[in-house]
Amino acid sequence: MKASVVLLPGDGIGPEVVAEGKRVLEAVAEKFGHQFEFSTHPIGGNAIDDFGTALPDDSLAACKTSDAVLLGAVGGPKWDDPKAKTRPEAGLLALRKELGLFANLRPIKTHAKLLDASPLKTELVRDVDILFFRELTGGLYFGPSGRKPHSSGEEAFSTMLYNTEEIARIVRMAAEASKTRQKRVTLVDKANVLEVSRLWRQVTTQIMAEEFPEIAFDVVLVDAMAMYLVSRPRDFDVVVTENMFGDILTDEGSMITGSLGMLPSASLGSSGPGLYEPIHGSAPTIAGKGIANPLATILACAMLLRHSLGLENEAVAVETAVNRVLDQGYRTADISSGGPSIGTREMGDHVLKNLA
Ligand code: IPM
Ligand code: MG
């Protein structure tokens, strides 16, 4: 197979982890006889510095004509001024919107050998395997917002806005995915308070009853879900929720596995290239030191192979290689629980060795 992959290393540790992801994709191409063509483009804070915008036109154009996009991370203290004209995050949000990536898949899966890395009790996190579907192009992130003068100073508003179609398409995608898993879907909302959540509940309940009668379906309020994620995470299979709830819950969920450094994500639309990224941020305090954990990015590459290129065997090969490396005891600092650790490049080397 021939495929073009756009690399968007971004800021902070982004370039270091994307370099390892690229090496893994190259090794997969070699081993399985594919041809992957790579091109690298700016996004985020460095793009603001060089081009005055977090998502230069050329970067967006390259993404649009690619088969898949691998992103590192955007942001850092250098671009955190609240008065700045634009922020690195704006580049990521624009990319999601422009590529129509309405579904953000975030698997929260514990590894048997890494249970100690979790701040939660081992017996609680063993065998957790949750797949979050976070809505990604609607809600508070994209609804009408603004500021106006107020007698006390200013007044600001952000609006959570969803229509039937925006809800239906991600619910269908989540329910489809649950068919090859435990056949359970949980909707997370705040329907006891928010009108927009009542629409989510109405649309989701109807779709699940009419189109997916064989899938078990339940509903949990978002505040309760925040508790359940740390008290009984094993009870969930596929979870679907709106943009901001999903943002918060998936960061919380990542702690079940112990390290943000282990978690990949895929952002998909109904057609066109998908966007793959580690869910950790740019980690500016460790940037450039060569100690970042590349496994989330490498696992994101597995998702890229699976979801955008349809290469299931290749995806499994990468995931198996990562599992082996962990079984062999290799750890970067973030998952070493204070024990011996190796660097980013070395970790990449071990994955490559196991892939071969
Ligand atoms: C994420 C991040 C982004 C988000 C930021 C960087 C805009 O937190 O992907 O979860 O809020 O969506
Ligand atoms: Mg987030």
Side-chain angles (χ1 to χ4, degrees):
M1 144 175 291
K2 273 192 188 178
S4 68
V5 178
V6 165
L7 305 174
L8 303 175
D11 306 315
I13 59 171
E16 297 162 59
V17 293
V18 165
E20 298 313 306
K22 178 174 184 240
R23 289 210 295 155
V24 166
L25 289 176
E26 283 168 343
V28 166
E30 162 115 38
K31 180 178 159 88
F32 292 87
H34 303 302
Q35 245 176 299
F36 298 158
E37 206 174 274
F38 299 94
S39 67
T40 304
H41 298 271
I43 191 172
N46 65 86
I48 294 177
D49 290 349
D50 294 347
F51 305 96
T53 166
L55 181 64
D57 291 345
D58 288 352
S59 298
L60 177 59
C63 291
K64 280 188 170 165
T65 55
S66 73
D67 294 305
V69 181
L70 180 65
L71 174 95
V74 296
K78 184 175 173 200
W79 306 281
D80 260 349
D81 178 3
K83 295 228 160 68
K85 274 210 315 289
T86 183
R87 296 180 54 101
E89 290 82 355
L92 182 55
L93 297 182
L95 187 61
R96 290 170 177 170
K97 194 71 172 176
E98 287 285 338
L99 296 180
L101 306 172
F102 62 82
N104 185 211
L105 283 62
R106 295 189 166 183
I108 310 272
K109 194 172 173 178
T110 49
H111 186 280
K113 289 270 165 47
L114 275 187
L115 299 178
D116 279 351
S118 176
L120 301 180
K121 292 196 184 91
T122 298
E123 59 269 26
L124 213 78
V125 300
R126 194 188 308 281
D127 297 326
V128 167
D129 185 359
I130 308 174
L131 180 55
F132 268 92
F133 279 77
R134 168 191 175 194
E135 203 290 328
L136 205 58
T137 51
L140 285 171
Y141 280 57
F142 294 95
S145 69
R147 289 185 184 218
K148 47 190 181 205
H150 185 263
S151 55
S152 65
E154 276 184 287
E155 190 172 65
F157 64 99
S158 300
T159 319
M160 194 189 284
L161 203 65
Y162 276 105
N163 61 45
T164 303
E165 174 54 21
E166 287 172 317
I167 299 166
R169 62 188 181 183
I170 188 166
V171 166
R172 288 197 176 101
M173 208 191 257
E176 278 302 329
S178 81
K179 285 182 176 171
T180 58
R181 296 172 50 95
Q182 292 180 47
K183 301 189 170 54
R184 274 188 295 149
V185 171
T186 302
L187 167 69
V188 174
D189 67 23
K190 187 72 184 173
N192 54 344
V193 177
L194 302 177
E195 195 56 43
V196 62
S197 278
R198 290 193 273 273
L199 182 63
W200 269 84
R201 195 172 284 204
Q202 175 193 317
V203 172
T204 308
T205 306
Q206 186 176 352
I207 288 177
M208 294 308 298
E210 287 175 2
E211 300 173 31
F212 301 93
E214 76 281 22
I215 307 285
F217 171 62
D218 67 342
V219 181
V220 176
L221 294 172
V222 63
D223 48 351
M225 188 66 182
M227 280 194 306
Y228 296 156
L229 268 185
V230 290
S231 61
R232 49 181 185 89
R234 263 196 301 254
D235 291 354
F236 301 96
D237 177 25
V238 169
V239 176
V240 61
T241 192
E242 68 88 37
N243 201 344
M244 177 125 232
F245 296 163
D247 179 44
I248 298 169
L249 290 177
T250 53
D251 263 26
E252 186 193 6
S254 74
M255 281 299 110
I256 296 170
T257 69
S259 173
L260 270 175
M262 292 300 300
L263 296 181
S265 92
S267 303
L268 308 174
S270 42
S271 62
L275 171 69
Y276 301 85
E277 46 179 324
I279 96 160
H280 60 65
S282 58
T285 54
I286 60 163
K289 295 190 177 158
I291 59 170
N293 186 348
L295 294 180
T297 306
I298 290 170
L299 291 169
C301 292
M303 294 185 92
L304 182 158
L305 293 163
R306 172 176 295 122
H307 294 289
S308 279
L309 307 186
L311 300 174
E312 178 65 22
N313 291 341
E314 287 79 343
V316 171
V318 172
E319 288 162 349
T320 306
V322 169
N323 283 336
R324 286 203 191 121
V325 169
L326 293 172
D327 286 342
Q328 290 156 7
Y330 296 110
R331 302 284 184 270
T332 43
D334 58 313
I335 50 172
S336 70
S337 309
S341 61
I342 60 175
T344 311
R345 178 45 60 103
E346 255 182 295
M347 187 55 112
D349 286 341
H350 285 294
V351 174
L352 292 182
K353 231 177 273 169
N354 281 281
L355 198 56

